[in-house]
């Protein structure tokens, strides 16, 4: 599985960005879960949002609920993270990660509460900076 994350940048507080994660090697409409994680300087990597092929459930960290929306385009095999009402505390390197959904690992395994060790495949990070 290969993942290509993009869409980061510098934005003012209250602004919006849309991150993209293009996946190859797993299918979003069949056997793939994609999670978004972020890591701020000096902090651990935290799960932000997640979506899987096996069900319609999604996950959002409490800190982003109501502001971030995850979606997928199966035809493009791409997951998007729309980030609105951005705050300075959203500043971080954002990573997308993938895991295979199968009879052993369900969508809920990955997206019930995304954990870094559950995901085997990682894309490069994209920097999001929220600052005036």
């Amino acid at each position: 599985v290969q993942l290509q994350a993009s869409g980061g940048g510098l934005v003012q507080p209250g602004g919006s960005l849309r991150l993209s994660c293009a996946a190859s090697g797993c299918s979003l409409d069949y056997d793939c879960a994609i999670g978004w994680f972020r890591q701020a300087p000096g902090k651990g990597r935290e799960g932000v949002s997640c979506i899987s092929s096996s069900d319609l459930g999604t996950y959002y960290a409490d800190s982003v609920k109501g502001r971030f929306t995850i979606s997928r385009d199966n035809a493009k095999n791409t997951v998007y993270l729309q980030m609105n009402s951005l705050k300075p505390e959203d500043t971080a390197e954002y990573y997308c990660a993938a895991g295979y959904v199968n009879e052993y690992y369900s969508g809920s395994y990955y997206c019930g509460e995304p954990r870094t060790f559950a995901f085997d495949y990682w894309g490069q990070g994209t920097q999001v900076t929220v600052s005036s």
Side-chain angles (χ1 to χ4, degrees), residues 21-85:
C21 178
S24 61
C26 70
S27 172
L28 288 173
D29 63 356
Y30 182 66
D31 64 355
C32 196
I34 298 287
W36 282 101
F37 293 79
R38 66 186 181 186
Q39 187 165 17
K43 295 188 177 181
R45 195 168 293 189
E46 65 168 338
V48 175
S49 188
C50 189
I51 192 167
S52 75
S53 60
S54 64
D55 53 53
L56 297 179
T58 55
Y59 168 89
Y60 297 97
D62 288 343
S63 57
V64 307
K65 281 181 182 175
R67 300 188 298 121
F68 290 12
T69 303
I70 194 168
S71 62
R72 65 188 185 202
D73 183 332
N74 290 345
K76 295 182 178 180
N77 219 39
T78 298
V79 170
Y80 302 99
L81 186 67
Q82 179 66 44
M83 306 186 297
N84 298 330
S85 302

Side-chain angles (χ1 to χ4, degrees), residues 3 33-40 43-50 59 93-100 105 108-123:
L3 304 170
I34 298 287
W36 282 101
F37 293 79
R38 66 186 181 186
Q39 187 165 17
K43 295 188 177 181
R45 195 168 293 189
E46 65 168 338
V48 175
S49 188
C50 189
Y59 168 89
E93 190 85 4
Y94 283 70
Y95 299 87
C96 60
Y100 278 112
Y105 300 108
S108 295
Y109 169 78
Y110 294 103
C111 296
E113 184 172 352
R115 299 152 297 175
T116 56
F117 65 80
F119 292 80
D120 292 325
Y121 307 97
W122 291 81

